[in-house]
Amino acid sequence: MKAVQITEPGKVSVVDIPYVEPSENEVQIKLCYVGFCGSDLSTFRGGNAMVKYPRIPGHEIGAVVEKIGSAVPSGRFEIGQVVTVNPYTNCGHCASCRRGRVNACENNETLGVQRDGAMREYINLPWEKLIPCGSVSLRDSALIEPMSVGFHAVSRGQVTADDVVMVIGCGMVGLGAVAGALRRGATVIAADLDDEKLEIARSLGVQHTYNTSTEWAGLPDPDVVIEAVGAVPTYRLAVERVAFTGRIVCIGYAKTDVPLPTNLFVKKELDVRGTRNADPVDFENVIEYISGHPVEQFISKEIVPEEAQETMDAWSANPGGYFRILTRFE
């Protein structure tokens, strides 16, 4: 069967891989849409230390149930049902798992990163990892996982309707955080260097936007700052702008150490929290959100597998120019 494979840095190929029947505890899904995400771009550029080549990317999934293993609980799934996937593993015995925070498992292996992903015609997965998508379309189901990461950051920030929340970085995950904070009734400041991304944030209903290349003026001090870039200037901005006794939630994965004014940690009595992946409840909340809100503005391009090389070349040359690229399997 057909699969997209990053064979080495800078090279994407369409390859033929063996078809495998699902085991008794697995569900086979037919992939219809699979998103390329930032980790895949990093893999393509040779900058993802967690990846060994060749690697089939893909963990943002819109699919339909094709076959159901004999030991899968009866009535859980049906043939043709639209599903997405929780793409993370958890070992069950590390400190995170023992605390019930399996999304941050020390030994996690994400589809398309530490193990081959879903950018193929069919994949077999443990039934527990499949998530029914209700009324969400096949295409839009491929947006659920990246948005769930942003929703999880909002949960980590304990955002309420009384909070002012600033989201720094309005890429796909950051916009998920914007949507998640708005869903909780918070006042949201969307911050980015790119006015086009800020326009998309406005389409979601944010009350304020801030182009970070300009002076901060006339905006309320945020109770919660969600950093979704992973760069020295944006991490410093988070610490400097957050209100006294505020919360900073860190999504952005910085490639280098970030020097920070730690005196402000003390002076402001800040809570600084990491956030990683997402919980099942985050997926459920995103499904509920997408069911009532248009999300087509998040999709920059749809391609077929044979267009993956030229598309990744273009994305690598202009990484800020795309939100989500969906690979469509016929």
Side-chain angles (χ1 to χ4, degrees):
M1 62 179 171
K2 182 185 296 185
V4 174
Q5 189 179 73
I6 302 175
T7 56
E8 60 186 69
K11 185 174 181 181
V12 184
S13 298
V14 178
V15 298
D16 186 62
I17 62 173
Y19 171 85
V20 179
E21 290 285 347
S23 72
E24 62 178 12
N25 289 305
E26 291 180 325
V27 174
Q28 182 179 94
I29 58 175
K30 176 179 173 57
L31 283 306
C32 299
Y33 291 91
V34 184
F36 276 111
C37 81
S39 64
D40 300 322
L41 179 60
S42 181
T43 299
F44 177 78
R45 290 172 143 185
N48 195 332
M50 295 180 287
V51 168
K52 295 181 180 179
Y53 299 92
R55 177 63 76 226
I56 297 172
H59 56 257
E60 302 173 0
I61 294 165
V64 295
V65 173
E66 182 78 7
K67 294 182 179 180
I68 301 171
S70 60
V72 175
S74 178
R76 187 79 181 210
F77 302 100
E78 59 184 37
I79 304 301
Q81 183 178 17
V82 177
V83 295
T84 192
V85 172
N86 181 332
Y88 325 119
T89 63
N90 55 283
C91 68
H93 55 74
C94 71
S96 297
C97 288
R98 292 198 306 271
R99 295 186 180 105
R101 293 169 64 178
V102 297
N103 60 291
C105 174
E106 182 178 350
N107 301 300
N108 167 67
E109 293 186 349
T110 299
L111 279 174
V113 185
Q114 296 97 334
R115 57 189 172 125
D116 276 338
M119 208 163 283
R120 61 179 87 181
E121 292 181 274
Y122 300 93
I123 190 171
N124 305 323
L125 295 167
W127 67 265
E128 298 92 338
K129 294 298 183 181
L130 268 60
I131 301 170
C133 294
S135 63
V136 177
S137 71
L138 264 173
R139 183 201 64 179
D140 293 351
S141 294
L143 303 177
I144 292 170
E145 190 276 339
M147 289 188 70
S148 74
V149 176
F151 271 54
H152 186 67
V154 170
S155 178
R156 288 284 292 145
Q158 296 177 297
V159 170
T160 73
D162 295 327
D163 287 321
V164 175
V165 179
M166 180 164 73
V167 179
I168 307 175
C170 293
M172 188 68 216
V173 172
L175 288 174
V178 166
L182 288 169
R183 180 177 176 272
R184 293 188 177 210
T187 298
V188 178
I189 304 168
D192 203 284
L193 280 167
D194 189 329
D195 286 330
E196 290 185 16
K197 292 181 179 178
L198 294 178
E199 184 60 37
I200 292 178
R202 279 190 285 271
S203 77
L204 300 182
V206 300
Q207 294 88 345
H208 307 282
T209 57
Y210 169 51
N211 187 308
T212 54
S213 67
T214 65
E215 292 294 322
W216 179 272
L219 294 172
D221 288 336
D223 305 291
V224 181
V225 177
I226 297 174
E227 202 285 345
V229 178
V232 172
T234 49
Y235 265 109
R236 290 187 65 89
L237 177 65
V239 176
E240 291 165 358
R241 287 268 56 95
V242 69
F244 276 61
T245 67
R247 283 113 53 206
I248 296 172
V249 182
C250 309
I251 303 177
Y253 201 95
K255 299 295 191 296
T256 60
D257 290 341
V258 178
L260 292 171
T262 54
N263 62 306
L264 293 180
F265 292 11
V266 178
K267 185 178 180 182
K268 292 185 176 184
E269 198 173 54
L270 299 179
D271 290 331
V272 181
R273 306 172 183 182
T275 182
R276 184 181 177 196
N277 298 332
D279 289 323
V281 69
D282 301 309
F283 283 84
E284 294 169 9
N285 290 337
V286 172
I287 289 168
E288 179 186 291
Y289 176 86
I290 292 179
S291 296
H293 296 82
V295 291
E296 62 268 10
Q297 66 269 42
F298 296 162
I299 300 170
S300 299
K301 189 174 185 179
E302 291 183 26
I303 66 170
V304 295
E306 289 75 15
E307 297 171 317
Q309 178 71 59
E310 63 183 273
T311 300
M312 293 301 287
D313 285 338
W315 189 19
S316 183
N318 181 23
Y322 296 85
F323 279 90
R324 269 306 173 266
I325 299 165
L326 300 184
T327 301
R328 185 177 66 251
F329 287 84
E330 302 295 346

